[in-house]
């Protein structure tokens, strides 16, 4: 069985074995997943023995991922990975052994027309990761 094999999830992380090889996780090390999504990388890192802190700015990912985080002893943090150092410091973490960033729009966001990212289904033109702030439609309608 490959390390990438895990329980069925709405999203399968790409290059999982390669990412784990690059991280070379030693049990007890602190590792960070800057883009939690459905928790594929975070869960695999935790199974490899890492103490995992995972970030996501999408409130849906936080809400839907809490059970995965709880089951794998992952600390799930709602916030941008650009604030990683600050948010980790608030939790007493000042050094990490590795960081993973799977940057881009997730399949979960693309598959839901109501999120405004879909190019397959009609929906509002929102395109906000955190579901707050100016929508893409407002930007386009108000841009000079």
């Amino acid at each position: 069985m490959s390390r990438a094999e895990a329980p069925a999830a709405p999203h399968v992380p790409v290059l999982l074995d390669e990412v784990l090889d690059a991280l070379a996780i030693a049990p007890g090390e602190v590792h960070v997943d800057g883009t939690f999504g459905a928790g594929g990388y975070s869960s695999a890192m935790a199974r490899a023995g890492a103490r995992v802190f995972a970030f996501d700015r999408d409130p849906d990912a936080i809400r839907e991922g809490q059970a995965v985080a709880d089951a794998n002893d992952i600390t799930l943090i709602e916030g941008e990975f650009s604030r990683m150092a600050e948010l980790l410091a608030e939790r007493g973490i000042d050094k990490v052994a590795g960081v993973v960033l799977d940057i881009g729009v997730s399949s979960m966001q693309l598959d839901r027309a109501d999120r405004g990212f879909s190019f397959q289904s009609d929906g509002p033109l929102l395109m906000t990761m955190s579901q707050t702030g100016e929508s893409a439609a407002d930007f386009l309608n108000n841009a000079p």
Side-chain angles (χ1 to χ4, degrees):
M1 177 196 264
S2 145
R3 289 180 293 176
E5 292 181 62
H11 173 76
V12 177
V14 298
L15 301 172
L16 182 56
D17 286 334
E18 292 81 356
V19 167
L20 292 174
D21 287 343
L23 290 172
I25 296 169
E29 286 181 333
V30 173
H31 285 261
V32 175
D33 181 349
T35 50
F36 179 78
Y41 288 117
S42 292
S43 297
M45 291 160 49
R47 285 192 303 273
R51 180 175 174 208
V52 180
F53 291 83
F55 292 81
D56 209 298
R57 66 187 302 169
D58 183 343
D60 287 347
I62 296 293
R63 185 182 63 257
E64 294 165 11
Q66 194 60 60
V68 170
D70 291 345
N72 292 282
D73 199 24
I74 296 165
T75 301
L76 190 52
I77 302 167
E78 185 171 356
E80 300 88 359
F81 61 76
S82 62
R83 296 182 53 222
M84 184 182 300
E86 168 195 351
L87 296 171
L88 288 172
E90 289 174 3
R91 289 157 177 84
I93 304 298
D94 61 358
K95 183 178 177 184
V96 301
V99 176
V100 172
L101 296 171
D102 184 5
I103 299 179
V105 180
S106 75
S107 58
M108 289 87 63
Q109 292 159 333
L110 289 172
D111 292 344
R112 291 186 44 203
D114 65 319
R115 291 300 306 273
F117 291 99
S118 180
F119 47 85
Q120 296 175 325
S121 303
D122 287 339
L125 185 59
L126 298 176
M127 303 182 86
T128 58
M129 291 290 186
S130 63
Q131 299 184 37
T132 62
E134 185 177 37
S135 70
D138 289 340
F139 173 80
L140 290 172
N141 288 326
N142 296 316

